[in-house]
Amino acid sequence: AAGLSAAMYGERQFVLDEDAVTEDPFAKERGEMKLARGEVPAMTYVEPGLEITTIEVPAMGDLKVWHNFLHQLQLANGVVVLRGLGQAAWDKDMYLFFNDLWMEIIEVVDARPMFIINIAKGDVRSQQCTLAAFADVSLATPDATFGFPEVRLGGLPAATACAMTKRLSDESVSRLLTTGESIDAREAQRLGLVDFVGDVETELSRLLYRSCKPKVTKVMYRPDCERAREQLES
Protein backbone atom coordinates (compact mmCIF):
# COMPACT_ATOMS: atom_id res chain seq x y z
CA ALA A 1 0.00 0.00 0.00
CA ALA A 2 1.13 3.52 -0.75
CA GLY A 3 1.40 6.00 2.05
CA LEU A 4 3.67 7.73 4.51
CA SER A 5 5.36 5.84 7.33
CA ALA A 6 6.91 7.54 10.38
CA ALA A 7 8.07 6.62 13.90
CA MET A 8 6.94 8.65 16.89
CA TYR A 9 7.06 7.96 20.65
CA GLY A 10 7.99 4.31 20.08
CA GLU A 11 5.12 3.75 17.63
CA ARG A 12 5.14 3.64 13.87
CA GLN A 13 2.59 5.70 12.00
CA PHE A 14 1.33 5.02 8.49
CA VAL A 15 -0.79 7.48 6.54
CA LEU A 16 -2.88 5.73 3.90
CA ASP A 17 -3.34 7.56 0.59
CA GLU A 18 -6.75 7.75 -1.09
CA ASP A 19 -5.53 6.03 -4.24
CA ALA A 20 -4.18 3.10 -2.20
CA VAL A 21 -7.67 1.87 -1.20
CA THR A 22 -10.97 1.49 -3.02
CA GLU A 23 -13.05 2.97 -0.20
CA ASP A 24 -12.84 4.82 3.10
CA PRO A 25 -11.34 2.30 5.60
CA PHE A 26 -13.38 3.87 8.41
CA ALA A 27 -16.66 4.07 6.48
CA LYS A 28 -18.57 1.61 8.69
CA GLU A 29 -17.41 3.09 12.00
CA ARG A 30 -17.39 6.77 11.04
CA GLY A 31 -21.01 7.36 12.02
CA GLU A 32 -20.38 6.18 15.58
CA MET A 33 -17.06 7.95 16.07
CA LYS A 34 -16.92 10.80 18.55
CA LEU A 35 -13.86 12.80 17.64
CA ALA A 36 -12.74 16.02 19.22
CA ARG A 37 -11.56 18.92 17.12
CA GLY A 38 -8.31 17.95 15.35
CA GLU A 39 -8.50 14.26 16.25
CA VAL A 40 -7.78 11.60 13.62
CA PRO A 41 -9.26 8.07 13.63
CA ALA A 42 -6.66 5.32 13.50
CA MET A 43 -6.36 1.55 13.33
CA THR A 44 -3.69 -0.04 15.52
CA TYR A 45 -1.75 -3.11 14.43
CA VAL A 46 0.47 -4.93 16.89
CA GLU A 47 3.21 -7.17 15.48
CA PRO A 48 4.49 -9.61 18.12
CA GLY A 49 8.19 -9.50 18.93
CA LEU A 50 10.57 -12.32 18.04
CA GLU A 51 10.66 -15.47 20.11
CA ILE A 52 13.68 -16.01 22.38
CA THR A 53 15.47 -19.34 22.80
CA THR A 54 18.49 -19.71 25.10
CA ILE A 55 20.72 -22.75 24.66
CA GLU A 56 23.69 -23.67 26.85
CA VAL A 57 26.24 -25.56 24.76
CA PRO A 58 28.65 -27.77 26.75
CA ALA A 59 32.10 -28.43 25.35
CA MET A 60 31.84 -32.03 26.57
CA GLY A 61 28.79 -34.25 26.40
CA ASP A 62 27.49 -37.58 25.17
CA LEU A 63 25.76 -38.06 21.82
CA LYS A 64 22.35 -37.42 23.35
CA VAL A 65 23.43 -33.94 24.47
CA TRP A 66 24.68 -32.99 21.02
CA HIS A 67 21.70 -34.43 19.21
CA ASN A 68 19.45 -32.43 21.54
CA PHE A 69 21.40 -29.27 20.67
CA LEU A 70 21.02 -29.98 16.96
CA HIS A 71 17.30 -30.69 17.41
CA GLN A 72 16.78 -27.41 19.31
CA LEU A 73 18.40 -25.47 16.48
CA GLN A 74 16.23 -27.24 13.92
CA LEU A 75 13.11 -26.05 15.76
CA ALA A 76 14.23 -22.58 16.83
CA ASN A 77 12.88 -19.34 15.37
CA GLY A 78 13.54 -15.72 16.17
CA VAL A 79 16.38 -14.85 18.53
CA VAL A 80 18.65 -17.68 19.73
CA VAL A 81 21.10 -16.95 22.56
CA LEU A 82 24.03 -19.38 22.78
CA ARG A 83 26.22 -19.77 25.85
CA GLY A 84 29.23 -22.06 25.59
CA LEU A 85 30.19 -23.99 28.71
CA GLY A 86 33.52 -25.56 29.68
CA GLN A 87 36.35 -26.92 27.59
CA ALA A 88 36.75 -30.16 25.68
CA ALA A 89 39.39 -32.80 26.44
CA TRP A 90 41.44 -34.16 23.53
CA ASP A 91 40.09 -37.38 22.04
CA LYS A 92 41.15 -37.96 18.44
CA ASP A 93 38.35 -40.41 17.65
CA MET A 94 35.58 -38.19 19.01
CA TYR A 95 37.26 -35.15 17.45
CA LEU A 96 36.69 -36.52 13.95
CA PHE A 97 33.10 -37.35 14.78
CA PHE A 98 32.43 -33.86 16.13
CA ASN A 99 33.87 -32.28 13.01
CA ASP A 100 31.08 -33.95 11.01
CA LEU A 101 28.49 -33.00 13.62
CA TRP A 102 29.54 -29.34 13.59
CA MET A 103 29.21 -29.33 9.80
CA GLU A 104 25.60 -30.43 10.19
CA ILE A 105 25.04 -27.78 12.86
CA ILE A 106 26.41 -25.07 10.56
CA GLU A 107 24.10 -26.22 7.75
CA VAL A 108 21.09 -25.95 10.08
CA VAL A 109 22.14 -22.47 11.21
CA ASP A 110 22.41 -21.32 7.59
CA ALA A 111 19.00 -22.75 6.73
CA ARG A 112 16.89 -21.65 9.71
CA PRO A 113 15.32 -18.16 10.16
CA MET A 114 17.30 -17.33 13.29
CA PHE A 115 19.08 -14.31 14.71
CA ILE A 116 21.90 -15.82 16.77
CA ILE A 117 23.61 -14.03 19.65
CA ASN A 118 26.65 -15.81 21.11
CA ILE A 119 28.12 -15.03 24.52
CA ALA A 120 31.75 -16.01 25.08
CA LYS A 121 33.24 -16.05 28.57
CA GLY A 122 36.60 -17.30 29.80
CA ASP A 123 38.76 -19.59 27.69
CA VAL A 124 36.97 -20.56 24.47
CA ARG A 125 38.81 -23.37 22.75
CA SER A 126 38.61 -25.59 19.71
CA GLN A 127 35.20 -26.22 18.16
CA GLN A 128 33.46 -23.96 20.72
CA CYS A 129 34.85 -21.07 18.65
CA THR A 130 32.34 -22.09 15.99
CA LEU A 131 29.58 -20.52 18.08
CA ALA A 132 31.21 -17.09 17.82
CA ALA A 133 31.99 -17.64 14.13
CA PHE A 134 28.44 -18.32 12.91
CA ALA A 135 26.65 -15.92 15.29
CA ASP A 136 24.94 -12.85 13.87
CA VAL A 137 26.16 -10.93 16.92
CA SER A 138 29.19 -12.17 18.84
CA LEU A 139 29.65 -10.89 22.41
CA ALA A 140 32.65 -11.53 24.67
CA THR A 141 33.70 -10.60 28.18
CA PRO A 142 37.03 -8.76 28.56
CA ASP A 143 38.67 -11.91 29.99
CA ALA A 144 37.60 -14.16 27.09
CA THR A 145 40.28 -15.82 24.96
CA PHE A 146 40.03 -17.90 21.78
CA GLY A 147 42.35 -20.56 20.41
CA PHE A 148 42.88 -23.96 18.82
CA PRO A 149 45.48 -25.85 20.90
CA GLU A 150 44.54 -29.15 19.21
CA VAL A 151 46.37 -28.16 16.03
CA ARG A 152 49.62 -28.82 17.90
CA LEU A 153 48.45 -32.42 18.34
CA GLY A 154 47.44 -32.92 14.72
CA GLY A 155 43.83 -31.78 14.99
CA LEU A 156 42.23 -29.80 12.17
CA PRO A 157 38.93 -28.02 13.03
CA ALA A 158 37.63 -28.10 9.46
CA ALA A 159 34.04 -27.15 10.32
CA THR A 160 35.14 -24.24 12.48
CA ALA A 161 37.52 -23.02 9.78
CA CYS A 162 34.65 -23.02 7.28
CA ALA A 163 32.44 -21.01 9.65
CA MET A 164 35.21 -18.55 10.51
CA THR A 165 35.66 -17.51 6.88
CA LYS A 166 32.35 -15.65 7.18
CA ARG A 167 33.91 -13.32 9.74
CA LEU A 168 37.69 -13.48 9.36
CA SER A 169 40.08 -13.05 6.48
CA ASP A 170 41.82 -16.13 5.07
CA GLU A 171 45.08 -14.85 6.54
CA SER A 172 43.61 -14.59 10.05
CA VAL A 173 42.03 -18.05 9.86
CA SER A 174 45.32 -19.53 8.65
CA ARG A 175 47.21 -17.89 11.49
CA LEU A 176 44.87 -19.21 14.18
CA LEU A 177 44.77 -22.75 12.77
CA THR A 178 48.51 -23.16 12.21
CA THR A 179 50.12 -21.56 15.25
CA GLY A 180 47.74 -22.86 17.92
CA GLU A 181 48.22 -19.59 19.80
CA SER A 182 45.33 -18.05 21.71
CA ILE A 183 44.10 -14.47 21.24
CA ASP A 184 42.34 -12.23 23.72
CA ALA A 185 38.91 -10.66 23.29
CA ARG A 186 40.21 -7.36 21.93
CA GLU A 187 42.30 -9.09 19.29
CA ALA A 188 39.32 -11.28 18.40
CA GLN A 189 37.28 -8.10 17.99
CA ARG A 190 39.96 -6.55 15.77
CA LEU A 191 40.01 -9.66 13.56
CA GLY A 192 36.21 -9.79 13.32
CA LEU A 193 35.43 -12.88 15.39
CA VAL A 194 33.83 -10.73 18.11
CA ASP A 195 31.54 -7.72 17.70
CA PHE A 196 31.38 -6.45 21.29
CA VAL A 197 33.69 -6.70 24.30
CA GLY A 198 32.44 -5.61 27.71
CA ASP A 199 29.36 -6.15 29.86
CA VAL A 200 27.76 -8.87 27.77
CA GLU A 201 24.63 -9.23 29.89
CA THR A 202 23.75 -5.55 29.55
CA GLU A 203 24.41 -5.64 25.81
CA LEU A 204 22.32 -8.80 25.52
CA SER A 205 19.42 -7.07 27.30
CA ARG A 206 19.67 -4.14 24.88
CA LEU A 207 19.64 -6.45 21.85
CA LEU A 208 16.68 -8.45 23.15
CA TYR A 209 14.71 -5.31 23.93
CA ARG A 210 15.33 -3.93 20.46
CA SER A 211 14.53 -7.18 18.64
CA CYS A 212 11.79 -8.74 20.75
CA LYS A 213 9.49 -5.92 21.85
CA PRO A 214 6.14 -5.80 20.00
CA LYS A 215 5.99 -3.35 17.09
CA VAL A 216 2.96 -1.06 17.10
CA THR A 217 1.74 0.65 13.92
CA LYS A 218 -1.09 3.18 13.76
CA VAL A 219 -2.76 3.50 10.36
CA MET A 220 -4.54 6.73 9.47
CA TYR A 221 -6.40 7.96 6.38
CA ARG A 222 -4.88 10.98 4.62
CA PRO A 223 -8.19 12.89 4.13
CA ASP A 224 -8.77 12.64 7.89
CA CYS A 225 -5.27 13.99 8.58
CA GLU A 226 -5.80 16.92 6.23
CA ARG A 227 -9.22 17.64 7.72
CA ALA A 228 -7.83 17.61 11.25
CA ARG A 229 -4.98 19.95 10.24
CA GLU A 230 -7.46 22.41 8.71
CA GLN A 231 -9.53 22.35 11.90
CA LEU A 232 -6.49 23.12 14.03
CA GLU A 233 -5.29 25.92 11.70
CA SER A 234 -8.68 27.62 11.42
Side-chain angles (χ1 to χ4, degrees), residues 2-3 14-21 23-26 30 35 38-41 219-231:
F14 187 85
V15 180
L16 197 61
D17 290 330
E18 290 182 79
D19 57 1
V21 292
E23 60 180 13
D24 180 356
F26 299 98
R30 196 172 293 279
L35 300 175
E39 283 190 333
V40 178
V219 180
M220 295 169 284
Y221 193 37
R222 186 174 296 280
D224 291 327
C225 296
E226 294 175 350
R227 190 179 303 111
R229 183 182 60 194
E230 292 172 358
Q231 291 174 352

Side-chain angles (χ1 to χ4, degrees), residues 7-8 22 83 85 122 126 170 213:
M8 185 176 182
T22 57
R83 296 176 180 269
L85 302 176
S126 188
D170 292 341
K213 67 177 181 180

Side-chain angles (χ1 to χ4, degrees), residues 28-79:
K28 295 181 180 179
E29 296 83 5
R30 196 172 293 279
E32 301 176 359
M33 289 182 180
K34 295 181 180 180
L35 300 175
R37 179 183 177 85
E39 283 190 333
V40 178
M43 294 180 287
T44 301
Y45 292 93
V46 179
E47 179 184 349
L50 298 176
E51 298 179 4
I52 305 173
T53 303
T54 299
I55 306 176
E56 294 184 337
V57 187
M60 295 290 291
D62 57 22
L63 294 181
K64 182 178 180 180
V65 170
W66 286 99
H67 286 153
N68 284 342
F69 174 46
L70 180 60
H71 185 60
Q72 284 180 295
L73 288 178
Q74 290 172 332
L75 297 178
N77 288 302
V79 177

Side-chain angles (χ1 to χ4, degrees), residues 138-151:
S138 180
L139 312 179
T141 56
D143 65 338
T145 61
F146 302 83
F148 300 89
E150 73 271 22
V151 299

Side-chain angles (χ1 to χ4, degrees), residues 83 112 155 195:
R83 296 176 180 269
R112 294 292 299 165
D195 300 308

